[in-house]
Structure formats: C-alpha cells, structure tokens
Amino acid sequence: MTNKESAVLDLIYQTLTTLNEERSADEKIEVGPDTCLFGERSVLDSLSLVSVIVDLETLVADKFGNAISLTDDKAMSRDPVPFVDVGTLKAYILEQLG
Amino acid sequence: MISYAGKIVLVTGARRGVGKLLADYFLRHGASVIGFSRHADEAPDAPGYTAIAVDVGDADSVARGFEQVRRQFGHLDIVINNAAVLTSQYAMIMPAGAAKSMLDTNVLGTFLVSREAAKLMRKSKWGRIINIGSMAASLEPMGDSVYAASKAAISTLANVMAKEFAALNITCNTLGITAIATDMLDQLPKDKVDKVIAGLPLPRYAEPDDIFNVIDFFASERSAYITAQTVFLGGAN
C-alpha cells in the first residue's frame, strides 16, 4: 500500500472512529477494510452515513488540499456508489485525488 | 437589546436590497457577517464584514465559497437565504431563460447554500437557516407564476430540511416578506404593487424593522422549538 493509499484509509477509519465515539457501547460498528457503509448490509443508518461522508470530504480537503465531492452527480451515477464499503470509498477518493 | 456578538452570520444576496439591510443590521448588532453575492468585489469594506463572490445557483461556486468560510471562520451560526431574482411577466410571454434564472437562484441557490451550511453547523450542533420568502407565494399575483412558485418552493424546502436537520439542532424557517422599498421593487409597476398591498389585512409597505423583528425571533435561542414554519408579514397568507 502506498503512503497515499494508507493516508486515505486512515482518514476513513478516523471518520468511523469519530462516529463510534458518539455511539453507545452496543451501537459501535466494527471498523475495517470490509466495513459495509451503504446498502442492505450497511452498518450505518442514513444520517450516520451522511455524517461520515461530510466528515470525510472535510478531512480529505484538509489533508490533501483538494476539495472532493463523494455525492456529486458523477459519484451518485456510479454502480455501485463509491461509498458502498470502505474499500470502494478508498478507491474512489484516490481516483478523485489523481 | 439584541446582540449577535460572537455569531457568524451568512447573508446571500448581501450587496443590495433586503440582503444589504440584513447584513448591515447584523453588523450593527455585533455579528461577523459574511456576504455572498455575485460581485463581492464591489461590496464596501466594513469592520466585521467579509464579502465573498458566489453565484448561489452554481454548485461549484457555492462549494468554493463555503470552503473559504470553513477555513476562515471554522463554523457558521445563522444563514439568511435572501438571494433572489425576479422577472415579472405574464406566463405566455415569459422567456424560458428568465424562468430558469429565477429557479436557479431562488430555489437551487437556497438548496445549495442550506446544504453546505448544515454541514458546517452540524459540528456545533446549533444553527438557524432562515429563508426570505415572499407574499407572492401566498397571494399568487398574475405575472409572477415562476417567482411565486420559486418562493413557495423555498418554504417547502425549509420544511423538509427542518426534519432532516432537527437532530442537529438546526432550525429552518421562512419569512414571507411583503413589498419593501428596495431596488427589486423598482422592477415592478408601482400601481400593481400598490393594488396588492391595498388588499392585505395590514395594507402598508413593510419597514425594515418588520423584517428584523421576525428574523431576530427565528435567529434566537427563544425559537429553539420553532421549525418548519413560514411567517408572512402583513397577514399576506
């Protein structure tokens, strides 16, 4: 894994960890490369997913200096959408960062 | 005495008309005011005022504007969605371009600004989003089909967003203003506006204080349990 890949993965984990900090013990989600964020197997409700996406966009902008959108028309027209799980999310962010 | 000391307030369409009145009002009462307008470079310098050039109907422009707000201020307390375009014309001769321009600025602009504002407000778990509506939405005057529809739309927009943002302690309300002496009013035939005003339960033009009173309420802690509401001045509903 390159430094950039590792940095992006850390940011994703950071947002999920932040989310866990706001949750009670029995609501905490498992954080890992296969964590499912969207769809039937998702561990997040819709509001939590929104929080994760917004936090992540901010963190990526701060870390890399590039504002990216994970929910613009391009992202939302993909099948599957980029935030279906941690792996696809990481790949999409790296693609956007170029 | 109302004080907005320590509050960060964003006003769209802040360069003139009701937007300028509101920006000046918040400044006078201690707020740090950010003014979004298409030509921010023409805005006068004033202590506590930051002008940012943003076309609210353009998603990229709004995103850039909010990125500047985030980096410069870190958070946001109050948003006044005031930017609006008005072309008054009978529907059968209304140019499509003019109709689209109204929808882009009045509806899409309000959506985009509210969306980005909520992202900033959610961290502090406090926010006030106030849309500037119009008596046109309820009185539905001839010649204002698109404008009236756009102003009705932003009430609905606020009502739905109020539900989505409630858990974040962000309220969303709409103030439906009546005619007030601004440059936008100059675009309308005075006899037509006089006739509409004469039909109001309180038949007079609005004064700035009429607007400030309701804005103060919607922006304050006292309105914490008030969301998804539209208040019309002058009984214009």
Side-chain angles (χ1 to χ4, degrees):
Chain A
M1 193 181 293
T2 66
N3 286 345
K4 199 172 190 179
E5 287 173 336
S6 175
V8 168
L9 193 58
D10 282 348
L11 294 181
I12 297 171
Y13 286 169
Q14 192 179 327
T15 59
L16 294 173
T17 303
T18 301
L19 185 72
N20 268 341
E21 286 168 0
E22 297 169 356
R23 295 182 154 210
S24 59
D26 59 334
E27 289 177 327
K28 292 192 190 303
I29 60 171
E30 197 175 319
V31 177
D34 300 321
T35 300
C36 190
L37 306 173
F38 182 75
E40 284 180 9
R41 294 187 300 113
S42 171
V43 292
L44 303 177
D45 58 40
S46 54
L47 211 54
S48 298
L49 177 61
V50 170
S51 287
V52 167
I53 288 170
V54 173
D55 277 346
L56 197 49
E57 286 176 343
T58 306
L59 287 173
V60 168
D62 286 344
K63 173 84 179 174
F64 297 99
N66 290 1
I68 64 162
S69 174
L70 301 172
T71 54
D72 61 11
D73 293 336
K74 190 171 59 176
M76 297 303 277
S77 62
R78 286 208 170 187
D79 187 16
V81 289
F83 40 81
V84 69
D85 60 32
V86 168
T88 57
L89 189 52
K90 184 187 83 172
Y92 188 73
I93 293 170
L94 287 167
E95 186 184 317
Q96 293 305 299
L97 291 173
Chain B
M1 175 74 175
I2 293 284
S3 173
Y4 289 100
K7 295 289 188 193
I8 312 290
V9 181
L10 168 63
V11 180
T12 68
R15 203 166 56 90
R16 53 187 194 161
V18 170
K20 183 164 190 330
L21 283 175
L22 285 166
D24 290 343
Y25 178 74
F26 281 113
L27 274 177
R28 282 200 305 277
H29 290 82
S32 295
V33 177
I34 303 155
F36 276 7
S37 61
R38 283 180 183 157
H39 307 286
D41 51 330
E42 294 171 21
D45 283 336
Y49 185 76
T50 302
I52 303 178
V54 170
D55 176 356
V56 296
D58 179 295
D60 291 338
S61 178
V62 172
R64 282 194 298 274
F66 270 91
E67 184 57 18
Q68 183 176 336
V69 171
R70 191 176 69 82
R71 289 184 189 278
Q72 198 168 334
F73 296 91
H75 79 286
L76 189 59
D77 299 300
I78 300 163
V79 166
I80 310 289
N81 279 307
N82 163 76
V85 174
L86 166 61
T87 299
S88 191
Q89 190 60 269
Y90 286 110
M92 282 192 283
I93 55 172
M94 171 74 78
K100 185 174 184 304
S101 175
M102 280 188 274
L103 294 174
D104 282 350
T105 299
N106 304 4
V107 183
L108 182 63
T110 299
F111 167 73
L112 292 172
V113 169
S114 301
R115 183 183 74 173
E116 296 307 311
K119 291 178 185 177
L120 272 178
M121 290 169 170
R122 78 194 177 94
K123 281 294 177 194
S124 49
K125 292 252 167 139
W126 196 94
R128 298 284 186 265
I129 295 174
I130 304 167
N131 294 346
I132 301 299
S134 165
M135 62 177 180
S138 56
L139 302 180
E140 301 170 346
M142 287 198 295
D144 286 343
S145 55
V146 178
Y147 181 74
S150 75
K151 288 298 185 177
I154 64 169
S155 284
T156 304
L157 209 58
N159 296 350
V160 177
M161 286 182 164
K163 293 176 185 168
E164 294 187 13
F165 303 161
L168 305 170
N169 201 25
I170 299 169
T171 65
C172 305
N173 293 292
T174 303
L175 168 59
I177 63 172
T178 51
I180 181 170
T182 64
D183 44 3
M184 184 179 270
L185 189 64
D186 293 340
Q187 298 169 31
L188 299 170
K190 189 168 185 314
D191 57 335
K192 180 189 162 190
V193 181
D194 283 346
K195 197 174 167 187
V196 172
I197 292 293
L200 293 176
L202 298 172
R204 66 167 173 81
Y205 281 68
E207 297 291 335
D209 274 347
D210 298 320
I211 294 172
F212 301 153
N213 286 337
V214 184
I215 293 290
D216 281 340
F217 176 63
F218 281 156
S220 74
E221 199 56 56
R222 286 173 297 149
S223 67
Y225 198 49
I226 306 288
T227 195
Q229 301 300 312
T230 299
V231 170
F232 285 101
L233 296 180
N237 58 342

